[in-house]
Amino acid sequence: MEKTIRKLKAIEATAENFAEYGQLIGATADGVEFGDEDAQLDLSNGIPRLYILHIENRALEFSKITHHARVTQCLGSVDREAWYLGVAKASIVAEGENGGGGSLCKSESGGHLYVPPSVDKIRAFRISGAKFVKLNKGTWHAGPLFRESARDFYNLELTDTNVVDHTSYNFGEENGVLFHIED
C-alpha cells in the first residue's frame, strides 16, 4: 500500500496543552514537597525500571504508535536538547463498554480492549530543556524522535512493560499513512 504523508506541526509542550496525554514535568527547587506539579505515577503493576535508553536513527516521522495499559511511563532527554513525541489520547475500553462506537480491538500482549487511534487525532509535541513527560496509562505515543543520529533518554516504566504491556497500531499498514513532524 502506498503511504500518504501526513504533516504534523509540532507545538512546544506545556503543562496545559499536554494534560490530556499526561504531564510535563520541569525542574523544582530542592526541598519542595510532593505536589500536583510532580509526576503522578502508577507503577503498582510490577517492578519499576529506570534506565537510560540509547536510541539511534529516529527521524521525525512515524507510522507505528504504541500504548501501555498497565503503567504510566516517563521519558526525558539526558542532554536537555529538544526532542519530539507523537501522541493520541488513551483509548482503552473497560470490559462491558462499547468503545464509543469505534471498532474494538483486543491487545495481544495485554489482553485489554481498545479503540485504535484516529489519524485525525494524532498530535506532535516538542519537548525542550530540563523537562520530561509522564504519559498517562494508555496514551498512544511514537518517540522519542529527534534530528541527531543518536540520543540518550531517561525511561521509567516496569521491568516487563515491553514484553507484557506493549500494544501497537500501524497507521502505515492500516491507513496507508506516514506522519512527518515539522517544527
Side-chain angles (χ1 to χ4, degrees), residues 64-71 73 88-93 105-117 135-142 161-162 164-169:
K64 194 183 243 186
I65 198 162
T66 299
H67 79 233
H68 310 298
R70 295 179 35 217
V71 66
Q73 181 181 16
K89 286 179 17 179
S91 58
I92 297 170
V93 177
C105 298
K106 186 168 188 168
S107 171
E108 291 181 23
S109 72
H112 60 278
L113 299 174
Y114 67 92
V115 175
L135 299 172
N136 292 335
K137 283 183 180 180
T139 294
W140 293 96
H141 58 285
T161 293
N162 289 319
V164 301
D165 188 22
H166 192 270
T167 302
S168 293
Y169 182 79

Side-chain angles (χ1 to χ4, degrees), residues 128-154:
S128 29
K131 299 178 194 124
F132 68 90
V133 296
K134 188 263 335 198
L135 299 172
N136 292 335
K137 283 183 180 180
T139 294
W140 293 96
H141 58 285
L145 306 171
F146 44 86
R147 296 182 193 288
E148 299 80 7
S149 62
R151 298 276 299 276
D152 292 331
F153 292 86
Y154 297 108

